[in-house]
Amino acid sequence: ANTARFTLDHVKRLEEALQILAQECFDIVLLDLTLPDSQGLESLSSVISQYPSLPVVVLTNMNDDRLAVEAVRLGAQDYLVKRLVNAELLVRSVRYAIESKQANDRLKLEIFERQKAQEDLQRSNAELEEFAYVASHDLQQPLSTISSWAQMLAVRYRSQLDEAAEKYISHIVDGTVRMQQLIEDLLAYSRVGR
């Protein structure tokens, strides 16, 4: 038993249909391609261009495979020939068209969100690379200064330093050398992304 229930609003002209679509919400459009004020795929193009998220099923007397393929290529969810359609086929086509369009819209939204996330990640990585470059570059100067002063102390006051003081100065110099190597590695890493 088919329990599907639909409410149908019927108009005879494309202009009327577009006016009603502008005023009310619909789940789907069943579109005939032979209307008094619009013929062929122009009708379909008009509806789809103005209401791209609304599924459209072409329901017409024209049994033309080329036209059917072109209609689907332009965005119709289905193409049905009136004399070949029964109620069961029409209901199935309407349900499929609505679900298909919603799934397609969800997929487009997901793709858009992923692209945005990817752009955000790329921007974040670029900012991180820039920070690494600037920070490592700016840290080089103070380390060079510390290393130079420590070496100067070791040379100038060598005769006055005991073994412990020489060891402390040696640790300072070794620490600055290690830190400079880490900074150079950070600089090299920041250049990899560039």
Side-chain angles (χ1 to χ4, degrees):
N2 193 343
T3 59
R5 294 195 181 270
F6 299 98
T7 301
L8 180 68
D9 287 358
H10 180 263
V11 295
K12 294 184 179 191
R13 303 174 69 79
L14 180 63
E15 183 181 334
E16 293 174 70
L18 294 174
Q19 288 173 354
I20 290 174
L21 288 171
Q23 298 168 359
E24 298 178 39
C25 290
F26 291 89
D27 295 319
I28 192 166
V29 172
L30 296 175
L31 180 66
D32 194 333
L33 297 182
T34 54
L35 299 171
D37 61 338
S38 183
Q39 299 290 311
L41 294 175
E42 291 176 19
S43 303
L44 178 63
S45 294
S46 294
V47 172
I48 288 176
S49 66
Q50 292 183 47
Y51 302 96
S53 63
L54 189 60
V56 178
V57 170
V58 173
L59 182 62
T60 187
N61 283 323
M62 294 189 284
N63 189 2
D64 182 337
D65 287 340
R66 286 184 316 202
L67 188 61
V69 168
E70 185 64 17
V72 171
R73 191 186 70 71
L74 288 173
Q77 300 306 118
D78 205 349
Y79 185 99
L80 302 174
V81 179
K82 289 179 184 179
R83 67 180 178 277
L84 303 176
V85 174
N86 59 32
E88 183 179 336
L89 177 61
L90 182 59
V91 167
R92 187 173 66 217
S93 179
V94 165
R95 282 185 173 162
Y96 169 77
I98 292 169
E99 288 300 318
S100 175
K101 190 67 168 176
Q102 289 173 350
N104 191 24
D105 288 348
R106 283 190 301 268
L107 181 61
K108 284 181 182 177
L109 180 61
E110 186 177 317
I111 290 169
F112 172 77
E113 289 172 350
R114 284 186 182 183
Q115 287 173 338
K116 183 165 180 355
Q118 185 176 7
E119 289 169 2
D120 291 346
L121 182 60
Q122 288 172 342
R123 185 173 42 257
S124 178
N125 283 344
E127 289 170 0
L128 183 59
E129 289 172 9
E130 183 66 23
F131 172 77
Y133 176 78
V134 170
S136 60
H137 186 270
D138 290 351
L139 291 174
Q140 289 279 7
Q141 181 59 40
L143 276 177
S144 292
T145 302
I146 292 168
S147 179
S148 295
W149 282 107
Q151 289 172 11
M152 189 181 301
L153 279 173
V155 170
R156 188 168 207 186
Y157 297 101
R158 176 167 295 175
S159 63
Q160 299 171 7
L161 298 175
D162 62 9
E163 191 176 312
E166 286 181 15
K167 186 177 176 185
Y168 297 149
I169 290 174
S170 177
H171 285 308
I172 291 171
V173 172
D174 290 347
T176 58
V177 168
R178 283 194 313 268
M179 187 60 149
Q180 284 175 329
Q181 184 58 52
L182 289 171
I183 290 171
E184 286 175 20
D185 291 346
L186 186 59
L187 272 169
Y189 169 75
S190 71
R191 290 183 191 117
V192 167
R194 294 170 187 220

